Amino acid sequence: EVYPVSRKITPPVPKPRDPLLESVSRPLIGALTGEDEGQRSAALTWLLGLSNPYGLKQIGGMLIDVLETGDVSQWNPAGASLVGIGPPAIPALILRLCRNKGAALRTRLLGVVGVIGKTLPQAERFNLLMQMNVACAGDHDADVLHAFVMAAGGLGLGGLLSRLASVPFEVLPE
């Protein structure tokens, strides 16, 4: 019996967004990415009041789209809105970080992930650091690496990481 040496593994194809949700959400995305801080705050309060994980995930993805393709003036408000959504936005941010190789977007995504990560409990911050590490593995862009270091450093794991580095590991016999 012959076994294949390697098999190409393809990542899952993202599901298309619900067109109805997308059309209904346009005004909300406009409020969340607009220059009016009061309007953005009110829209975020309304969104978080829904307590709908599916809706937060979809809106988070649309805000990440704004970070990717939107006008430069919308980037900071979109990032601030993602930070306002908080931990529910992290999976979509990490997924986009893994799938997109554009340095400018990856830098913005890491900035948002780093700010949200500061609010997590220590164990979750460590898991987030590992996810960021996997997502950025092999990236050699100086801006992305700087954003990674800034986001990782902001997680406040320095003491934990130095303790882990000092743990002796036994060498396994061959």
Side-chain angles (χ1 to χ4, degrees):
E1 192 169 359
V2 177
Y3 294 96
V5 176
S6 68
R7 186 176 79 201
K8 184 176 179 182
I9 298 173
T10 57
V13 176
K15 295 178 184 173
R17 286 205 188 94
D18 180 0
L20 178 61
L21 178 65
E22 201 158 316
S23 67
V24 169
S25 301
R26 249 183 234 117
L28 178 62
I29 296 298
L32 291 170
T33 60
E35 294 178 14
D36 185 349
E37 180 66 36
Q39 187 179 25
R40 185 169 55 253
S41 178
L44 193 55
T45 301
W46 179 84
L47 177 64
L48 294 174
L50 294 178
S51 299
N52 180 340
Y54 176 77
L56 286 176
K57 180 180 173 184
Q58 295 299 313
I59 297 298
M62 291 176 201
L63 289 168
I64 294 169
D65 289 344
V66 171
L67 285 177
E68 184 173 8
T69 60
D71 187 66
V72 175
S73 65
Q74 296 176 311
W75 290 350
N76 285 341
S81 294
L82 284 162
V83 167
I85 290 172
I90 289 177
L93 288 161
I94 294 294
L95 186 62
R96 192 70 63 95
L97 195 55
C98 289
R99 288 189 174 153
N100 190 297
K101 298 303 175 193
L105 175 64
R106 291 169 66 78
T107 301
R108 289 189 291 277
L109 292 174
L110 282 166
V112 173
V113 169
V115 173
I116 295 172
K118 292 176 186 179
T119 67
L120 298 173
Q122 187 175 28
E124 290 180 36
R125 283 184 275 149
F126 183 75
N127 289 338
L128 178 61
L129 178 62
M130 295 301 103
Q131 292 173 7
M132 289 168 43
N133 188 40
V134 168
C136 293
D139 200 321
H140 301 294
D141 183 85
D143 291 333
V144 174
L145 294 175
H146 181 260
F148 177 84
V149 168
M150 295 302 293
L155 295 178
L157 295 172
L160 174 66
L161 295 177
S162 26
R163 282 189 304 236
L164 283 175
S166 67
V167 172
F169 291 98
E170 294 181 21
V171 178
L172 298 174
E174 292 185 33

